[in-house]
Every structure is written in C-alpha cells, then in structure tokens.
C-alpha cells in the first residue's frame, strides 16, 4: 500500500498589465467588493447589538436582495464570485473574533483599504498558460517571472492593486515540489538586532541592509512635495501620492527579497532554529527605535521562517522574551546585573570569558531552545536575579524615573 503525502498549497504572485477595459472592470469589482463587505458588516453589527447572530448564508441571501434594489443594482454588473468570497472572508473574520484570535472586524475604507478581489474556479478560466477572469473577453497580460508547477491548476485567483498603482495576480496551486528536506543534526540560535540584522550562534553576523535609510532622502523629498499639494482629489496630488507610494513599494520589495533569501538559506541548512519571542508591537512604541525596528522587519522574518520550516520539516523554537540572553554568560552561566545597549562586548566576572554581546545572546538562545526540546513544551527558560526578580532582556532602553 503506497502512502501519498498531501501537496502544499502555494501562492504564486505575478505582475500583470491590464488593458483600459480590464482595469475599469477590476476597479468596479474592487468597489463592489468593498461595498458588499461593509453592508454585510453593518448588518451583522446591528444584529449583534440586538443579541442576534447573522451567518454567511444569511448575508448571501441579503446580497441577492441588494442586487434587486435600484440603489445597489450596479452590484449585478460585476462577477458574483468575488462578492461571495468577501462574505466568506467576513465570516472567517467573525470566527476569529469569537475565537479570541483577532479584533472585531473593521469597515473597509475607500482610500486606505487594500484593493483586491478573489475568484474561485467558477470565476476564471486557465488554459494553456492564459488566465481569463469572469466578465472579460481577453486574458490578462501576465509577466510570468517564474513557471508554475508542472500541470498546476489554480484553485483560487486573487487580483490586487497596490498603492503605487501596480497590478498583481496571485494563483493558489498545489506544489508537489515542496517536500521535507533530509534531516540534519545542525541547530542554530538567531539573535535579531539593529546594528546587525541577524547574529547566529555560529558567530556569523549578517549585515542590516537598512533599505529605508538608503531611500530616506528621496522619500522625504517626495513627501514634502505631497504635503505642498492642496488636499482633495486633484490630479497633481494623486500623482504626488503615487510617487511616494512607489518609493515605499521599492523599499518593501527589497526588504522582502532579502528576508526571503535569508530565511530560505537558514531553513535549508539547519534542522532546529531558535529565535526570541519578541513583542514587536510593544517595542515600536519606543519612538527612538521605532523606525529602525520597522525597517528591520523582525515580525516578517519570523513569519517567513515559520512557514518555510513547516514546509520543509524543520523546527522553529521561540524562547521566552524575558530570558536574559544578553546578560547570561554562555560559558559558565553567570548572570550580569545590568547591561546597557551601548555595551557590545563584556567580560564575565565569573570565568573571565570575553563575550561579543550578540554572539553570546545567540548561543544562549540556542541552549535554551534545545532545553525546551528536551524538557517538553511549556517550559519557560527563565533565570532569576539574585534579588529574586525576573531577569528581563533589555532590547529597548528604558528611562529612569
């Protein structure tokens, strides 16, 4: 009896260039998706105030009624598939809210919300490498920057437009090429930072590209030009806003490319990867370091590392953020009382070992992560100071009262 492994669902994202008619159709679809989402959210919110619950089936019936009204008759002019999909997304948002995994769903803004529409198999045709969406007579002009898996048939297609005006299509397919890698005995501790993007327990230090800083002057100039434009929907202000968005998109693309290359390399080389469970949301409240932390994108690094490890049969361990990895001697285990961020090298009072702050932290993270593996889940690798208080790693400077 042969054992078959389920293929990994993988999204392949490409840029495309729509014709004027296709762009107009997609723009109408984006607007209708936003309108239906907001109408359904308002209906469910009103029902919630009356202590009633409205599910997907009820909102789907509401959509049929809305299309028959004179005011919302334009909803019938676009494909019904993206409209139904946005109702399913709203249902998922409420499921996460009731499961205490997310906040209450918010209304979509015309200017700030992401412009996207999702099509299932009944809403598109994919034949001979050409993708044609519902309500369109011509296929999309897609730039196939990389091939799809052999014989792949997309299960869903998501079309989106970013704030810089670029059009993208994402095809969700089964990818049989994603399989667990051969097991290895290598393990690595990873300490994230600002002076160095990553420091590994092997002693390797990976430089921080600082993508935002490289384009900061150009971004500031574009933002000043935007600030001088009169508020409103004028063409000049829209052009200036698009120029700022293009610079932000350039920064984000380069940052994402760097993180993808780093995480792929780390996952391929190591069986166990140990990181620190940082609360980036709280750390960016420090206005001195918020810009640098956001540019380093620690949260995205962890997200990429975790899903790639799941793909290839690797293990990612997150050590408790209160673990004093920087102040703990990786040689003898002695704990130092205080260590300001300005101290990059220090000498252990117990054994006299000279430590590089970041390398020492990565080594301690690795040891703590391996201890979690041996002791089992739920272990908080935490040390106590001689005074009995919890030892906290100092990632951000604190002001003394």
């Amino acid at each position: 009896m042969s054992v078959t492994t389920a293929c990994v669902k993988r999204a392949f994202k490409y840029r495309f260039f729509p014709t004027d008619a296709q762009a107009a159709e997609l723009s109408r679809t984006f607007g209708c998706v936003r309108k239906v989402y907001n109408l359904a959210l308002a209906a469910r919110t009103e029902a919630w105030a009356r202590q009633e619950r409205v599910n997907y089936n009820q909102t789907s019936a509401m959509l049929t009624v809305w299309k028959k009204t004179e005011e919302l008759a334009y909803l019938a002019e676009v494909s019904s598939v993206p409209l139904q999909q946005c109702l399913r997304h709203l249902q998922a948002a409420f499921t996460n809210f009731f499961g205490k995994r997310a906040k209450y769903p918010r209304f979509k803004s015309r200017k700030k919300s992401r412009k996207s529409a999702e099509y299932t198999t009944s809403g598109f045709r994919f034949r001979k490498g050409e993708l044609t969406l519902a309500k369109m007579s011509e296929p999309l002009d897609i730039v196939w920057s990389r091939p799809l898996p052999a014989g792949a048939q997309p299960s869903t297609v998501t079309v989106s437009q970013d704030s810089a005006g670029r059009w993208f299509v994402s095809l969700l397919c089964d990818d049989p090429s994603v399989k667990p890698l051969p097991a290895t005995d290598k393990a690595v501790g990873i300490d994230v930072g600002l002076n160095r993007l990553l420091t590994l327990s092997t002693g390797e230090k990976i430089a921080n590209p600082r993508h935002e800083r490289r384009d900061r002057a150009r971004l500031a100039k574009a933002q000043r030009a935007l600030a001088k434009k009169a508020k409103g929907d004028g063409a000049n202000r829209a052009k200036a806003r698009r120029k700022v968005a293009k610079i932000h998109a350039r920064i984000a693309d380069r940052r994402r490319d760097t993180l993808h290359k780093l995480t792929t390399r780390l996952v391929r080389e190591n069986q166990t990867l140990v990181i620190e469970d940082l609360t980036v949301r709280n750390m960016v409240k420090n206005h001195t370091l918020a810009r640098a932390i956001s540019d380093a994108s620690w949260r995205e690094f962890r997200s990429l590392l975790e899903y790639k490890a799941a793909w290839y049969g690797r293990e990612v361990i997150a050590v408790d953020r209160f673990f004093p990895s920087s102040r703990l001697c990786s040689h003898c285990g002695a704990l130092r009382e205080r260590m300001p961020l300005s101290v990059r090298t220090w000498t252990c009072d117990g054994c006299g070992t000279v430590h590089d702050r970041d390398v020492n932290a990565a080594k301690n993270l690795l040891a703590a992560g391996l201890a979690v593996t041996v002791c089992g889940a739920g272990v908080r690798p935490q040390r106590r100071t001689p005074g009995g208080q919890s030892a906290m790693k100092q990632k951000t400077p604190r002001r003394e009262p």
Side-chain angles (χ1 to χ4, degrees):
M1 179 178 176
S2 61
V3 179
T4 59
T5 57
C7 291
V8 171
K9 287 285 188 180
R10 187 174 182 181
F12 293 83
K13 190 174 182 179
Y14 305 93
R15 189 172 179 183
F16 74 97
F17 297 88
T19 63
D20 292 340
Q22 290 173 340
E25 177 64 28
L26 289 173
S27 297
R28 284 195 298 269
T29 303
F30 294 159
C32 292
V33 166
R34 183 180 62 251
K35 182 66 174 180
V36 170
Y37 186 95
N38 289 341
L39 287 173
L41 177 55
R44 297 185 70 147
T45 302
E46 293 172 2
W48 177 256
R50 300 191 303 268
Q51 297 184 350
E52 299 176 2
R53 284 199 180 185
V54 175
N55 57 26
Y56 161 75
N57 293 331
Q58 292 170 293
T59 55
S60 181
M62 292 178 187
L63 175 59
T64 303
V65 176
W66 293 334
K67 289 181 179 180
K68 295 179 180 180
T69 63
E70 182 179 354
E71 183 183 0
L72 300 174
Y74 60 87
L75 295 178
E77 298 176 1
V78 301
S79 172
S80 62
V81 176
L83 306 185
Q84 294 289 345
Q85 284 300 101
C86 83
L87 295 180
R88 292 188 177 95
H89 294 163
L90 180 61
Q91 177 64 34
F94 271 99
T95 300
N96 291 331
F97 167 69
F98 291 128
K100 298 183 179 180
R101 295 184 295 271
K103 295 182 179 180
Y104 192 82
R106 294 182 298 179
F107 290 95
K108 292 183 179 293
S109 167
R110 184 174 66 88
K111 292 184 178 181
K112 297 182 180 180
S113 296
R114 180 172 179 260
K115 299 178 181 178
S116 66
E118 185 177 275
Y119 296 80
T120 56
T121 51
S122 60
F124 66 88
R125 184 177 67 252
F126 184 74
R127 294 177 183 173
K128 299 180 180 180
E130 292 186 338
L131 177 67
T132 306
L133 300 177
K135 301 289 185 177
M136 295 185 185
S137 58
E138 299 178 359
L140 300 180
D141 181 14
I142 301 175
V143 180
W144 298 101
S145 53
R146 55 176 174 168
L148 288 173
Q153 284 295 326
S155 57
T156 61
V157 169
T158 302
V159 181
S160 61
Q161 184 185 27
D162 65 6
S163 56
R166 302 179 301 176
W167 295 86
F168 294 95
V169 59
S170 180
L171 291 78
L172 186 64
C173 308
D174 289 328
D175 190 357
S177 65
V178 177
K179 298 178 181 178
L181 295 171
T184 177
D185 58 354
K186 290 186 178 180
V188 65
I190 306 171
D191 181 68
V192 297
L194 298 178
N195 293 330
R196 296 287 186 272
L197 182 61
L198 301 178
T199 302
L200 308 183
S201 55
T202 58
E204 180 183 357
K205 295 183 178 181
I206 299 173
N208 187 354
R210 302 182 186 275
H211 297 292
E212 187 272 339
R213 178 178 291 184
R214 290 169 59 185
D215 281 346
R216 187 172 296 177
R218 183 183 301 176
L219 179 61
K221 182 179 179 180
Q223 289 174 331
R224 286 195 299 269
L226 174 60
K228 294 178 181 178
K229 299 294 185 293
K231 291 185 178 181
D233 295 330
N236 287 337
R237 184 173 177 83
K239 184 178 179 180
R241 185 188 298 111
R242 196 177 305 114
K243 187 173 183 179
V244 173
K246 286 183 178 180
I247 298 175
H248 278 298
R250 170 187 169 92
I251 295 171
D253 288 346
R254 285 158 47 183
R255 181 189 296 128
R256 192 178 303 110
D257 179 68
T258 298
L259 293 179
H260 268 296
K261 291 176 180 177
L262 281 176
T263 51
T264 299
R265 175 201 148 193
L266 291 172
V267 167
R268 290 186 181 277
E269 293 178 353
N270 301 279
Q271 182 68 34
T272 304
L273 304 101
V274 185
I275 58 176
E276 189 175 10
D277 187 17
L278 298 175
T279 52
V280 180
R281 180 180 299 179
N282 293 336
M283 296 175 70
V284 294
K285 294 179 181 179
N286 183 320
H287 299 295
T288 304
L289 299 177
R291 196 172 198 172
I293 292 174
S294 299
D295 192 23
S297 196
W298 295 338
R299 182 180 298 173
E300 185 174 6
F301 167 76
R302 176 174 176 174
S303 176
L304 297 178
L305 196 69
E306 288 178 337
Y307 86 71
K308 291 181 182 180
W311 277 3
Y312 298 110
R314 304 309 199 195
E315 183 181 16
V316 175
I317 301 174
V319 175
D320 188 86
R321 63 181 178 274
F322 296 119
F323 178 64
S325 57
S326 296
R327 299 186 289 118
L328 187 67
C329 176
S330 59
H331 187 263
C332 69
L335 184 64
R336 190 163 178 171
E337 285 291 334
R338 291 185 59 81
M339 187 179 297
L341 281 174
S342 58
V343 176
R344 308 315 303 173
T345 59
W346 59 283
T347 304
C348 176
D349 297 331
C351 62
T353 304
V354 179
H355 292 293
D356 179 283
R357 179 194 183 104
D358 298 331
V359 175
N360 178 67
K363 291 180 178 179
N364 285 325
L365 288 174
L366 175 60
L370 296 179
V372 171
T373 304
V374 174
C375 299
V379 177
R380 292 175 56 137
Q382 198 167 353
R383 294 289 297 266
R384 296 279 174 176
T385 62
Q389 296 181 349
S390 173
M392 180 182 294
K393 181 174 181 181
Q394 297 178 355
K395 272 291 183 185
T396 56
R398 297 189 170 190
R399 296 182 180 179
E400 298 294 335

